[in-house]
Amino acid sequence: MSCTPGDSDPKIMCRNIKRLHNFEPPATEEEIRASALQYVRKVSGMRKPSKANAEAFEQAVEAIYAITKELVLDQLETNSPPRDREVEAEQARARGRQRAAREG
């Protein structure tokens, strides 16, 4: 199963939260929010919270989003050149194909 920070399907629970720092172009607010959602899904064990937990779940997503945005976009510095999103995506697809070939 493929998963990217922009996936919005509530049935998808990714195994990994993707790196957002030091990319060209920089991470979008949508990508940061999707990663925050994935983090809260992962730590809570819920893909979609019940009505009783919906408000707390959404508050957690918003808190993680805010702190991630501040860290990723406003505070981190690096001397490394930005990573190219397309190159990274192709490398991830190649690793997926290799994994599938080993398993299949």
Side-chain angles (χ1 to χ4, degrees):
M1 171 188 312
S2 165
C3 184
T4 62
D7 284 340
S8 60
D9 185 339
K11 295 183 291 287
I12 295 175
M13 185 172 292
C14 307
R15 286 184 241 171
N16 297 313
I17 297 172
K18 307 298 183 197
R19 176 192 306 228
L20 298 175
H21 176 62
N22 198 29
F23 274 99
E24 189 58 44
T28 65
E29 293 201 12
E30 180 180 305
E31 289 171 314
I32 296 169
R33 187 170 303 285
S35 289
L37 173 62
Q38 184 55 40
Y39 176 81
V40 174
R41 284 177 173 171
K42 185 64 107 175
V43 299
S44 70
M46 296 179 210
R47 287 181 276 184
K48 184 176 180 187
S50 66
K51 287 182 182 181
N53 292 320
E55 186 176 342
F57 189 91
E58 190 55 37
Q59 286 176 350
V61 171
E62 288 304 312
I64 297 298
Y65 165 79
I67 202 161
T68 301
K69 183 177 178 191
E70 181 180 338
L71 176 67
V72 171
L73 299 181
D74 299 336
Q75 292 183 352
L76 294 179
E77 297 179 18
T78 183
N79 292 326
S80 300
R83 295 172 178 260
D84 183 292
R85 288 185 182 283
E86 291 302 316
V87 170
E88 294 291 321
E90 180 50 42
Q91 289 173 349
R93 287 189 290 271
R95 287 189 301 270
R97 288 190 296 270
Q98 289 175 341
R99 226 179 358 260
R102 284 192 305 264
E103 294 171 1

